[in-house]
Amino acid sequence: MSIAMPMLKRPTNLDGTHAGDYGFDPLGLSEQFDLYTMMEAEVRHARLAMLAVIGWPLSELVAPDWLLQGQNHLAPSVLNGFNPLTFVATVAIFAGFGFAEYKTALRLNSVGTELGQKHRSDMQNVWKYGVPGDYNYDPLGLYNAFGDNAVGRKAMRELEISHGRWAMMAITSFAAWEALTGHPVVENSMFFEPNLVLPLLGVAYLGFGQFFEIENDEQYMLQIRATSEGEMRMERIKNGLGYLAEDSKKFAPVVEGAIEGAKGLKSKYDSWQEDYNGSKIDYSDKQ
C-alpha cells in the first residue's frame, strides 16, 4: 500500500528504491512518463525553491526600497512585477540557470565522476542511471554525513528532497499571498519580526519531543505516544516533585515561625507608629 495514501495501492514504478518515494502518484504520471526525467525535474525545482524561499523574504527585509515593487515594497516577481534593473538581473540569473540546465541535461553527465561511480554502484540493482540531480558537487563533504554507503547517501537525498518539497509549497504560498493581498510575506509575521511566540513554540516542540512521539499505523493516521525515555523522564520529575514536597513539610514549622515573628514585629511597629503620632498631636496642642 502507498505510504502517503494508505487507501490506495502503491504505484508500480514507485517501489521505495528512490529517495523521496512515498508512493504518492494519484494521477499515475510515473507510469505515463519517464521516471528519471520527472525525478530530475523535481530535484532541480526543489533546489531552486530552497534558494528562493530564503532569498524572497531576505530581499524584503534588507534590500533598498528602489529594488522592491510598489508602495509596500514587495519582492520582484512575475506577479509583483519588475523595474528595469531587477528585470535585467532576473534575466541574467535565469540565463545562468539555463546554461547549467543545458550542461547537465543528459542523464549520463555523471559518468566517470567520483559520485557518479558511487551512485551507479548504489543503484545497480535498480537501473543504470545512478541518481537524479548528481552534479558531482559536494565541496564540504556533507553528502556522507549519514554514512559513506548506499543507505547513508539515500538518507541525505531523502532529507534534501523533503526540504525541497516544503520549499516549493512555501514559495508558491509567498507568491500567492502577495498577489492576493498586496502585502509582503514578512509583514506581521512571527518568523521575520522580533517576538516571543516563535521561541516559545520552539521550546514547546523540543519539550514535547523529550517525552512523546507521533506515530501512524495501518489503523490510525496520527497517534501520540510516550516514548520509553519520556516515561523515565516523567517518572524522575514525579519523584523529584515528591522529594520537594517532603522537604517542604520539614521546613513548614520554620516558615510558620518566621511568619509569626514577622507579624509580631509588624504589630510592634504599628504600636510605635501610633505612639509617635499621638506624641506629635500632644506637642502641637501645647504649642
Side-chain angles (χ1 to χ4, degrees), residues 48 78 82 87-101:
L48 184 60
V78 173
F82 301 92
F87 177 78
V88 171
T90 303
V91 170
I93 291 171
F94 274 90
F97 282 123
F99 180 75
E101 292 282 330

Short mmCIF file of all heavy atoms in Angstrom, two decimals, residues 48 78 82 87-101:
data_model
loop_
_atom_site.label_atom_id
_atom_site.label_comp_id
_atom_site.label_asym_id
_atom_site.label_seq_id
_atom_site.Cartn_x
_atom_site.Cartn_y
_atom_site.Cartn_z
N LEU A 48 16.07 24.96 -6.53
CA LEU A 48 15.80 26.36 -6.84
C LEU A 48 14.82 26.96 -5.83
O LEU A 48 14.99 28.11 -5.39
CB LEU A 48 15.21 26.46 -8.25
CG LEU A 48 14.94 27.87 -8.78
CD1 LEU A 48 16.22 28.69 -8.82
CD2 LEU A 48 14.31 27.80 -10.16
N VAL A 78 7.14 37.56 -11.01
CA VAL A 78 6.27 37.61 -12.18
C VAL A 78 4.94 38.27 -11.83
O VAL A 78 4.39 39.06 -12.61
CB VAL A 78 6.04 36.18 -12.73
CG1 VAL A 78 5.00 36.18 -13.84
CG2 VAL A 78 7.35 35.59 -13.23
N PHE A 82 8.44 43.91 -12.13
CA PHE A 82 9.87 44.23 -12.07
C PHE A 82 10.06 45.70 -12.44
O PHE A 82 9.24 46.28 -13.16
CB PHE A 82 10.67 43.38 -13.06
CG PHE A 82 10.56 41.89 -12.84
CD1 PHE A 82 9.59 41.14 -13.50
CD2 PHE A 82 11.43 41.24 -11.99
CE1 PHE A 82 9.50 39.78 -13.31
CE2 PHE A 82 11.35 39.87 -11.79
CZ PHE A 82 10.38 39.14 -12.46
N PHE A 87 14.57 43.46 -13.58
CA PHE A 87 14.25 42.61 -14.74
C PHE A 87 15.52 42.10 -15.39
O PHE A 87 15.64 40.91 -15.70
CB PHE A 87 13.41 43.40 -15.75
CG PHE A 87 13.10 42.62 -17.00
CD1 PHE A 87 12.10 41.66 -16.99
CD2 PHE A 87 13.81 42.85 -18.17
CE1 PHE A 87 11.81 40.93 -18.13
CE2 PHE A 87 13.54 42.12 -19.31
CZ PHE A 87 12.53 41.16 -19.30
N VAL A 88 16.49 42.99 -15.60
CA VAL A 88 17.76 42.58 -16.22
C VAL A 88 18.47 41.57 -15.32
O VAL A 88 19.02 40.57 -15.81
CB VAL A 88 18.65 43.82 -16.48
CG1 VAL A 88 20.05 43.39 -16.91
CG2 VAL A 88 18.01 44.71 -17.54
N ALA A 89 18.47 41.82 -14.02
CA ALA A 89 19.12 40.90 -13.09
C ALA A 89 18.45 39.53 -13.12
O ALA A 89 19.13 38.49 -13.11
CB ALA A 89 19.10 41.48 -11.68
N THR A 90 17.12 39.52 -13.15
CA THR A 90 16.40 38.25 -13.18
C THR A 90 16.68 37.47 -14.46
O THR A 90 16.90 36.26 -14.43
CB THR A 90 14.89 38.50 -13.04
OG1 THR A 90 14.63 39.22 -11.83
CG2 THR A 90 14.12 37.19 -13.03
N VAL A 91 16.70 38.18 -15.58
CA VAL A 91 17.00 37.52 -16.86
C VAL A 91 18.41 36.93 -16.84
O VAL A 91 18.64 35.80 -17.30
CB VAL A 91 16.85 38.52 -18.02
CG1 VAL A 91 17.40 37.93 -19.32
CG2 VAL A 91 15.38 38.89 -18.20
N ALA A 92 19.36 37.68 -16.26
CA ALA A 92 20.74 37.19 -16.19
C ALA A 92 20.84 35.95 -15.31
O ALA A 92 21.53 34.98 -15.64
CB ALA A 92 21.65 38.29 -15.66
N ILE A 93 20.13 35.98 -14.17
CA ILE A 93 20.16 34.82 -13.27
C ILE A 93 19.57 33.59 -13.94
O ILE A 93 20.16 32.49 -13.89
CB ILE A 93 19.40 35.15 -11.97
CG1 ILE A 93 20.18 36.20 -11.16
CG2 ILE A 93 19.18 33.89 -11.14
CD1 ILE A 93 19.42 36.74 -9.97
N PHE A 94 18.43 33.76 -14.61
CA PHE A 94 17.82 32.61 -15.26
C PHE A 94 18.62 32.16 -16.47
O PHE A 94 18.58 30.98 -16.84
CB PHE A 94 16.38 32.93 -15.64
CG PHE A 94 15.41 32.67 -14.53
CD1 PHE A 94 15.10 33.66 -13.61
CD2 PHE A 94 14.83 31.42 -14.37
CE1 PHE A 94 14.22 33.42 -12.57
CE2 PHE A 94 13.95 31.17 -13.34
CZ PHE A 94 13.64 32.17 -12.42
N ALA A 95 19.35 33.06 -17.10
CA ALA A 95 20.24 32.65 -18.18
C ALA A 95 21.34 31.75 -17.63
O ALA A 95 21.71 30.74 -18.25
CB ALA A 95 20.84 33.88 -18.85
N GLY A 96 21.84 32.10 -16.44
CA GLY A 96 22.85 31.24 -15.80
C GLY A 96 22.28 29.88 -15.45
O GLY A 96 22.92 28.84 -15.69
N PHE A 97 21.06 29.86 -14.89
CA PHE A 97 20.42 28.59 -14.59
C PHE A 97 20.16 27.80 -15.87
O PHE A 97 20.31 26.57 -15.90
CB PHE A 97 19.11 28.80 -13.84
CG PHE A 97 19.29 29.10 -12.38
CD1 PHE A 97 18.77 30.26 -11.83
CD2 PHE A 97 19.96 28.22 -11.55
CE1 PHE A 97 18.92 30.53 -10.49
CE2 PHE A 97 20.12 28.49 -10.20
CZ PHE A 97 19.60 29.65 -9.67
N GLY A 98 19.77 28.49 -16.93
CA GLY A 98 19.53 27.82 -18.20
C GLY A 98 20.78 27.17 -18.75
O GLY A 98 20.74 26.06 -19.29
N PHE A 99 21.91 27.87 -18.63
CA PHE A 99 23.18 27.30 -19.09
C PHE A 99 23.52 26.05 -18.28
O PHE A 99 23.98 25.04 -18.83
CB PHE A 99 24.29 28.33 -18.97
CG PHE A 99 25.64 27.83 -19.41
CD1 PHE A 99 25.91 27.68 -20.77
CD2 PHE A 99 26.61 27.51 -18.49
CE1 PHE A 99 27.15 27.20 -21.19
CE2 PHE A 99 27.85 27.04 -18.89
CZ PHE A 99 28.12 26.88 -20.25
N ALA A 100 23.29 26.12 -16.94
CA ALA A 100 23.54 24.94 -16.10
C ALA A 100 22.62 23.80 -16.49
O ALA A 100 23.04 22.63 -16.51
CB ALA A 100 23.34 25.30 -14.62
N GLU A 101 21.37 24.11 -16.82
CA GLU A 101 20.45 23.07 -17.28
C GLU A 101 20.96 22.43 -18.56
O GLU A 101 20.93 21.20 -18.72
CB GLU A 101 19.06 23.68 -17.51
CG GLU A 101 18.34 24.13 -16.27
CD GLU A 101 17.74 22.97 -15.50
OE1 GLU A 101 17.37 21.97 -16.13
OE2 GLU A 101 17.66 23.07 -14.27
#
